[in-house]
PDB file of all heavy atoms in Angstrom:
ATOM      1  N   GLY A  53      48.698  39.468  -5.536  1.00 95.00           N
ATOM      2  CA  GLY A  53      47.667  38.725  -6.265  1.00 95.00           C
ATOM      3  C   GLY A  53      46.887  39.532  -7.289  1.00 95.00           C
ATOM      4  O   GLY A  53      45.841  39.085  -7.768  1.00 95.00           O
ATOM      5  N   LYS A  54      47.394  40.677  -7.683  1.00 95.00           N
ATOM      6  CA  LYS A  54      46.656  41.545  -8.618  1.00 95.00           C
ATOM      7  C   LYS A  54      46.513  40.899 -10.005  1.00 95.00           C
ATOM      8  O   LYS A  54      45.422  40.867 -10.565  1.00 95.00           O
ATOM      9  CB  LYS A  54      47.365  42.911  -8.739  1.00 95.00           C
ATOM     10  CG  LYS A  54      47.568  43.605  -7.398  1.00 95.00           C
ATOM     11  CD  LYS A  54      48.296  44.926  -7.548  1.00 95.00           C
ATOM     12  CE  LYS A  54      49.685  44.840  -8.122  1.00 95.00           C
ATOM     13  NZ  LYS A  54      50.654  44.070  -7.299  1.00 95.00           N
ATOM     14  N   SER A  55      47.633  40.378 -10.533  1.00 95.00           N
ATOM     15  CA  SER A  55      47.549  39.736 -11.861  1.00 95.00           C
ATOM     16  C   SER A  55      46.714  38.465 -11.783  1.00 95.00           C
ATOM     17  O   SER A  55      45.929  38.171 -12.694  1.00 95.00           O
ATOM     18  CB  SER A  55      48.959  39.395 -12.373  1.00 95.00           C
ATOM     19  OG  SER A  55      49.697  40.564 -12.581  1.00 95.00           O
ATOM     20  N   THR A  56      46.877  37.730 -10.683  1.00 96.00           N
ATOM     21  CA  THR A  56      46.070  36.510 -10.501  1.00 96.00           C
ATOM     22  C   THR A  56      44.586  36.859 -10.548  1.00 96.00           C
ATOM     23  O   THR A  56      43.792  36.166 -11.195  1.00 96.00           O
ATOM     24  CB  THR A  56      46.429  35.857  -9.138  1.00 96.00           C
ATOM     25  OG1 THR A  56      47.827  35.577  -9.128  1.00 96.00           O
ATOM     26  CG2 THR A  56      45.642  34.586  -8.907  1.00 96.00           C
ATOM     27  N   LEU A  57      44.222  37.959  -9.898  1.00 97.00           N
ATOM     28  CA  LEU A  57      42.814  38.372  -9.906  1.00 97.00           C
ATOM     29  C   LEU A  57      42.368  38.714 -11.331  1.00 97.00           C
ATOM     30  O   LEU A  57      41.302  38.265 -11.776  1.00 97.00           O
ATOM     31  CB  LEU A  57      42.610  39.582  -8.980  1.00 97.00           C
ATOM     32  CG  LEU A  57      41.206  40.185  -9.027  1.00 97.00           C
ATOM     33  CD1 LEU A  57      40.160  39.187  -8.518  1.00 97.00           C
ATOM     34  CD2 LEU A  57      41.119  41.478  -8.223  1.00 97.00           C
ATOM     35  N   LEU A  58      43.172  39.504 -12.044  1.00 96.00           N
ATOM     36  CA  LEU A  58      42.780  39.882 -13.409  1.00 96.00           C
ATOM     37  C   LEU A  58      42.633  38.652 -14.305  1.00 96.00           C
ATOM     38  O   LEU A  58      41.716  38.576 -15.118  1.00 96.00           O
ATOM     39  CB  LEU A  58      43.792  40.872 -14.003  1.00 96.00           C
ATOM     40  CG  LEU A  58      43.242  42.285 -14.170  1.00 96.00           C
ATOM     41  CD1 LEU A  58      42.770  42.848 -12.852  1.00 96.00           C
ATOM     42  CD2 LEU A  58      44.242  43.211 -14.828  1.00 96.00           C
ATOM     43  N   HIS A  59      43.546  37.687 -14.126  1.00 95.00           N
ATOM     44  CA  HIS A  59      43.450  36.460 -14.933  1.00 95.00           C
ATOM     45  C   HIS A  59      42.157  35.709 -14.626  1.00 95.00           C
ATOM     46  O   HIS A  59      41.512  35.177 -15.536  1.00 95.00           O
ATOM     47  CB  HIS A  59      44.655  35.556 -14.670  1.00 95.00           C
ATOM     48  CG  HIS A  59      45.939  36.131 -15.178  1.00 95.00           C
ATOM     49  ND1 HIS A  59      47.178  35.721 -14.730  1.00 95.00           N
ATOM     50  CD2 HIS A  59      46.178  37.112 -16.085  1.00 95.00           C
ATOM     51  CE1 HIS A  59      48.116  36.414 -15.348  1.00 95.00           C
ATOM     52  NE2 HIS A  59      47.537  37.263 -16.172  1.00 95.00           N
ATOM     53  N   CYS A  60      41.765  35.679 -13.344  1.00 96.00           N
ATOM     54  CA  CYS A  60      40.504  35.000 -12.981  1.00 96.00           C
ATOM     55  C   CYS A  60      39.309  35.762 -13.550  1.00 96.00           C
ATOM     56  O   CYS A  60      38.398  35.165 -14.132  1.00 96.00           O
ATOM     57  CB  CYS A  60      40.364  34.867 -11.462  1.00 96.00           C
ATOM     58  SG  CYS A  60      41.501  33.663 -10.746  1.00 96.00           S
ATOM     59  N   LEU A  61      39.317  37.096 -13.387  1.00 96.00           N
ATOM     60  CA  LEU A  61      38.192  37.898 -13.883  1.00 96.00           C
ATOM     61  C   LEU A  61      38.075  37.796 -15.403  1.00 96.00           C
ATOM     62  O   LEU A  61      36.979  37.823 -15.951  1.00 96.00           O
ATOM     63  CB  LEU A  61      38.359  39.372 -13.498  1.00 96.00           C
ATOM     64  CG  LEU A  61      38.441  39.701 -12.004  1.00 96.00           C
ATOM     65  CD1 LEU A  61      38.637  41.203 -11.800  1.00 96.00           C
ATOM     66  CD2 LEU A  61      37.197  39.219 -11.272  1.00 96.00           C
ATOM     67  N   GLY A  62      39.225  37.671 -16.067  1.00 94.00           N
ATOM     68  CA  GLY A  62      39.246  37.612 -17.522  1.00 94.00           C
ATOM     69  C   GLY A  62      39.110  36.214 -18.075  1.00 94.00           C
ATOM     70  O   GLY A  62      39.278  36.005 -19.272  1.00 94.00           O
ATOM     71  N   LEU A  63      38.836  35.248 -17.209  1.00 94.00           N
ATOM     72  CA  LEU A  63      38.614  33.851 -17.605  1.00 94.00           C
ATOM     73  C   LEU A  63      39.844  33.226 -18.262  1.00 94.00           C
ATOM     74  O   LEU A  63      39.735  32.308 -19.071  1.00 94.00           O
ATOM     75  CB  LEU A  63      37.389  33.734 -18.533  1.00 94.00           C
ATOM     76  CG  LEU A  63      36.065  34.192 -17.900  1.00 94.00           C
ATOM     77  CD1 LEU A  63      34.972  34.341 -18.957  1.00 94.00           C
ATOM     78  CD2 LEU A  63      35.611  33.196 -16.825  1.00 94.00           C
ATOM     79  N   LEU A  64      41.017  33.764 -17.917  1.00 92.00           N
ATOM     80  CA  LEU A  64      42.266  33.142 -18.361  1.00 92.00           C
ATOM     81  C   LEU A  64      42.721  32.111 -17.337  1.00 92.00           C
ATOM     82  O   LEU A  64      43.597  31.298 -17.587  1.00 92.00           O
ATOM     83  CB  LEU A  64      43.369  34.199 -18.516  1.00 92.00           C
ATOM     84  CG  LEU A  64      43.133  35.280 -19.559  1.00 92.00           C
ATOM     85  CD1 LEU A  64      44.198  36.364 -19.464  1.00 92.00           C
ATOM     86  CD2 LEU A  64      43.120  34.677 -20.963  1.00 92.00           C
ATOM     87  N   ASP A  65      42.154  32.192 -16.135  1.00 94.00           N
ATOM     88  CA  ASP A  65      42.480  31.269 -15.047  1.00 94.00           C
ATOM     89  C   ASP A  65      41.164  30.965 -14.322  1.00 94.00           C
ATOM     90  O   ASP A  65      40.185  31.707 -14.461  1.00 94.00           O
ATOM     91  CB  ASP A  65      43.489  31.950 -14.098  1.00 94.00           C
ATOM     92  CG  ASP A  65      44.050  30.989 -13.063  1.00 94.00           C
ATOM     93  OD1 ASP A  65      43.864  29.768 -13.188  1.00 94.00           O
ATOM     94  OD2 ASP A  65      44.685  31.480 -12.098  1.00 94.00           O
ATOM     95  N   THR A  66      41.151  29.882 -13.559  1.00 95.00           N
ATOM     96  CA  THR A  66      39.920  29.479 -12.869  1.00 95.00           C
ATOM     97  C   THR A  66      40.119  29.596 -11.366  1.00 95.00           C
ATOM     98  O   THR A  66      41.049  29.000 -10.817  1.00 95.00           O
ATOM     99  CB  THR A  66      39.564  28.018 -13.236  1.00 95.00           C
ATOM    100  OG1 THR A  66      39.525  27.938 -14.653  1.00 95.00           O
ATOM    101  CG2 THR A  66      38.223  27.602 -12.668  1.00 95.00           C
ATOM    102  N   PRO A  67      39.270  30.372 -10.679  1.00 96.00           N
ATOM    103  CA  PRO A  67      39.413  30.481  -9.228  1.00 96.00           C
ATOM    104  C   PRO A  67      39.202  29.126  -8.552  1.00 96.00           C
ATOM    105  O   PRO A  67      38.482  28.271  -9.090  1.00 96.00           O
ATOM    106  CB  PRO A  67      38.296  31.454  -8.814  1.00 96.00           C
ATOM    107  CG  PRO A  67      37.711  31.987 -10.064  1.00 96.00           C
ATOM    108  CD  PRO A  67      38.134  31.137 -11.204  1.00 96.00           C
ATOM    109  N   THR A  68      39.825  28.963  -7.396  1.00 96.00           N
ATOM    110  CA  THR A  68      39.640  27.731  -6.623  1.00 96.00           C
ATOM    111  C   THR A  68      38.222  27.699  -6.044  1.00 96.00           C
ATOM    112  O   THR A  68      37.613  26.638  -5.915  1.00 96.00           O
ATOM    113  CB  THR A  68      40.675  27.698  -5.467  1.00 96.00           C
ATOM    114  OG1 THR A  68      41.954  27.982  -6.030  1.00 96.00           O
ATOM    115  CG2 THR A  68      40.709  26.370  -4.775  1.00 96.00           C
ATOM    116  N   ALA A  69      37.705  28.860  -5.666  1.00 97.00           N
ATOM    117  CA  ALA A  69      36.333  28.964  -5.151  1.00 97.00           C
ATOM    118  C   ALA A  69      35.824  30.366  -5.409  1.00 97.00           C
ATOM    119  O   ALA A  69      36.606  31.291  -5.656  1.00 97.00           O
ATOM    120  CB  ALA A  69      36.311  28.662  -3.649  1.00 97.00           C
ATOM    121  N   GLY A  70      34.512  30.516  -5.341  1.00 97.00           N
ATOM    122  CA  GLY A  70      33.907  31.837  -5.539  1.00 97.00           C
ATOM    123  C   GLY A  70      33.105  31.886  -6.819  1.00 97.00           C
ATOM    124  O   GLY A  70      33.056  30.919  -7.590  1.00 97.00           O
ATOM    125  N   GLU A  71      32.490  33.030  -7.031  1.00 97.00           N
ATOM    126  CA  GLU A  71      31.518  33.158  -8.106  1.00 97.00           C
ATOM    127  C   GLU A  71      31.817  34.414  -8.936  1.00 97.00           C
ATOM    128  O   GLU A  71      32.197  35.450  -8.378  1.00 97.00           O
ATOM    129  CB  GLU A  71      30.159  33.324  -7.427  1.00 97.00           C
ATOM    130  CG  GLU A  71      28.978  33.237  -8.324  1.00 97.00           C
ATOM    131  CD  GLU A  71      27.694  33.358  -7.502  1.00 97.00           C
ATOM    132  OE1 GLU A  71      27.530  34.362  -6.774  1.00 97.00           O
ATOM    133  OE2 GLU A  71      26.869  32.471  -7.609  1.00 97.00           O
ATOM    134  N   LEU A  72      31.605  34.301 -10.232  1.00 97.00           N
ATOM    135  CA  LEU A  72      31.758  35.452 -11.134  1.00 97.00           C
ATOM    136  C   LEU A  72      30.482  35.613 -11.940  1.00 97.00           C
ATOM    137  O   LEU A  72      29.944  34.621 -12.459  1.00 97.00           O
ATOM    138  CB  LEU A  72      32.917  35.219 -12.101  1.00 97.00           C
ATOM    139  CG  LEU A  72      34.320  35.297 -11.512  1.00 97.00           C
ATOM    140  CD1 LEU A  72      35.339  34.701 -12.472  1.00 97.00           C
ATOM    141  CD2 LEU A  72      34.669  36.750 -11.205  1.00 97.00           C
ATOM    142  N   ILE A  73      30.007  36.832 -12.038  1.00 96.00           N
ATOM    143  CA  ILE A  73      28.811  37.099 -12.847  1.00 96.00           C
ATOM    144  C   ILE A  73      29.142  38.211 -13.832  1.00 96.00           C
ATOM    145  O   ILE A  73      29.650  39.273 -13.446  1.00 96.00           O
ATOM    146  CB  ILE A  73      27.618  37.512 -11.963  1.00 96.00           C
ATOM    147  CG1 ILE A  73      27.263  36.364 -11.016  1.00 96.00           C
ATOM    148  CG2 ILE A  73      26.400  37.889 -12.819  1.00 96.00           C
ATOM    149  CD1 ILE A  73      26.332  36.755  -9.893  1.00 96.00           C
ATOM    150  N   TYR A  74      28.867  37.963 -15.106  1.00 96.00           N
ATOM    151  CA  TYR A  74      29.080  38.954 -16.168  1.00 96.00           C
ATOM    152  C   TYR A  74      27.699  39.371 -16.669  1.00 96.00           C
ATOM    153  O   TYR A  74      26.816  38.518 -16.834  1.00 96.00           O
ATOM    154  CB  TYR A  74      29.888  38.344 -17.318  1.00 96.00           C
ATOM    155  CG  TYR A  74      31.222  37.803 -16.868  1.00 96.00           C
ATOM    156  CD1 TYR A  74      31.324  36.505 -16.359  1.00 96.00           C
ATOM    157  CD2 TYR A  74      32.367  38.584 -16.915  1.00 96.00           C
ATOM    158  CE1 TYR A  74      32.546  36.008 -15.916  1.00 96.00           C
ATOM    159  CE2 TYR A  74      33.584  38.095 -16.478  1.00 96.00           C
ATOM    160  CZ  TYR A  74      33.668  36.811 -15.978  1.00 96.00           C
ATOM    161  OH  TYR A  74      34.872  36.327 -15.534  1.00 96.00           O
ATOM    162  N   ARG A  75      27.532  40.669 -16.936  1.00 94.00           N
ATOM    163  CA  ARG A  75      26.213  41.131 -17.366  1.00 94.00           C
ATOM    164  C   ARG A  75      26.337  42.092 -18.547  1.00 94.00           C
ATOM    165  O   ARG A  75      27.169  42.996 -18.534  1.00 94.00           O
ATOM    166  CB  ARG A  75      25.496  41.848 -16.207  1.00 94.00           C
ATOM    167  CG  ARG A  75      23.998  42.051 -16.465  1.00 94.00           C
ATOM    168  CD  ARG A  75      23.396  42.944 -15.407  1.00 94.00           C
ATOM    169  NE  ARG A  75      24.014  44.257 -15.446  1.00 94.00           N
ATOM    170  CZ  ARG A  75      23.676  45.204 -16.313  1.00 94.00           C
ATOM    171  NH1 ARG A  75      22.722  45.018 -17.178  1.00 94.00           N
ATOM    172  NH2 ARG A  75      24.310  46.359 -16.293  1.00 94.00           N
ATOM    173  N   ASP A  76      25.511  41.861 -19.543  1.00 91.00           N
ATOM    174  CA  ASP A  76      25.437  42.764 -20.696  1.00 91.00           C
ATOM    175  C   ASP A  76      23.958  42.958 -21.020  1.00 91.00           C
ATOM    176  O   ASP A  76      23.321  42.031 -21.531  1.00 91.00           O
ATOM    177  CB  ASP A  76      26.177  42.147 -21.889  1.00 91.00           C
ATOM    178  CG  ASP A  76      26.264  43.120 -23.055  1.00 91.00           C
ATOM    179  OD1 ASP A  76      25.807  44.276 -22.920  1.00 91.00           O
ATOM    180  OD2 ASP A  76      26.799  42.723 -24.105  1.00 91.00           O
ATOM    181  N   GLY A  77      23.407  44.107 -20.686  1.00 87.00           N
ATOM    182  CA  GLY A  77      21.968  44.322 -20.886  1.00 87.00           C
ATOM    183  C   GLY A  77      21.176  43.329 -20.053  1.00 87.00           C
ATOM    184  O   GLY A  77      21.398  43.203 -18.852  1.00 87.00           O
ATOM    185  N   ASP A  78      20.292  42.581 -20.719  1.00 87.00           N
ATOM    186  CA  ASP A  78      19.470  41.606 -20.000  1.00 87.00           C
ATOM    187  C   ASP A  78      20.142  40.239 -19.893  1.00 87.00           C
ATOM    188  O   ASP A  78      19.590  39.329 -19.288  1.00 87.00           O
ATOM    189  CB  ASP A  78      18.117  41.425 -20.724  1.00 87.00           C
ATOM    190  CG  ASP A  78      17.276  42.690 -20.610  1.00 87.00           C
ATOM    191  OD1 ASP A  78      17.498  43.452 -19.640  1.00 87.00           O
ATOM    192  OD2 ASP A  78      16.426  42.913 -21.499  1.00 87.00           O
ATOM    193  N   SER A  79      21.312  40.103 -20.504  1.00 91.00           N
ATOM    194  CA  SER A  79      21.984  38.793 -20.473  1.00 91.00           C
ATOM    195  C   SER A  79      22.962  38.726 -19.310  1.00 91.00           C
ATOM    196  O   SER A  79      23.713  39.682 -19.077  1.00 91.00           O
ATOM    197  CB  SER A  79      22.774  38.573 -21.764  1.00 91.00           C
ATOM    198  OG  SER A  79      21.936  38.716 -22.872  1.00 91.00           O
ATOM    199  N   THR A  80      22.949  37.601 -18.601  1.00 93.00           N
ATOM    200  CA  THR A  80      23.960  37.384 -17.567  1.00 93.00           C
ATOM    201  C   THR A  80      24.560  35.994 -17.732  1.00 93.00           C
ATOM    202  O   THR A  80      23.903  35.076 -18.226  1.00 93.00           O
ATOM    203  CB  THR A  80      23.379  37.487 -16.133  1.00 93.00           C
ATOM    204  OG1 THR A  80      22.335  36.539 -16.010  1.00 93.00           O
ATOM    205  CG2 THR A  80      22.888  38.865 -15.794  1.00 93.00           C
ATOM    206  N   TRP A  81      25.823  35.890 -17.331  1.00 95.00           N
ATOM    207  CA  TRP A  81      26.524  34.606 -17.368  1.00 95.00           C
ATOM    208  C   TRP A  81      27.190  34.421 -16.018  1.00 95.00           C
ATOM    209  O   TRP A  81      27.806  35.352 -15.490  1.00 95.00           O
ATOM    210  CB  TRP A  81      27.613  34.609 -18.446  1.00 95.00           C
ATOM    211  CG  TRP A  81      27.105  34.827 -19.821  1.00 95.00           C
ATOM    212  CD1 TRP A  81      26.735  33.868 -20.717  1.00 95.00           C
ATOM    213  CD2 TRP A  81      26.917  36.090 -20.481  1.00 95.00           C
ATOM    214  NE1 TRP A  81      26.327  34.453 -21.883  1.00 95.00           N
ATOM    215  CE2 TRP A  81      26.430  35.809 -21.770  1.00 95.00           C
ATOM    216  CE3 TRP A  81      27.109  37.425 -20.109  1.00 95.00           C
ATOM    217  CZ2 TRP A  81      26.127  36.807 -22.684  1.00 95.00           C
ATOM    218  CZ3 TRP A  81      26.808  38.425 -21.023  1.00 95.00           C
ATOM    219  CH2 TRP A  81      26.326  38.114 -22.292  1.00 95.00           C
TER     220      TRP A  81
END
Side-chain angles (χ1 to χ4, degrees):
K54 305 179 299 297
S55 296
T56 302
L57 174 64
L58 250 58
H59 292 160
C60 289
L61 300 179
L63 299 167
L64 297 172
D65 189 12
T66 306
T68 311
E71 190 178 56
L72 288 165
I73 298 167
Y74 303 86
R75 194 189 62 81
D76 187 3
D78 292 335
S79 305
T80 58
W81 299 268

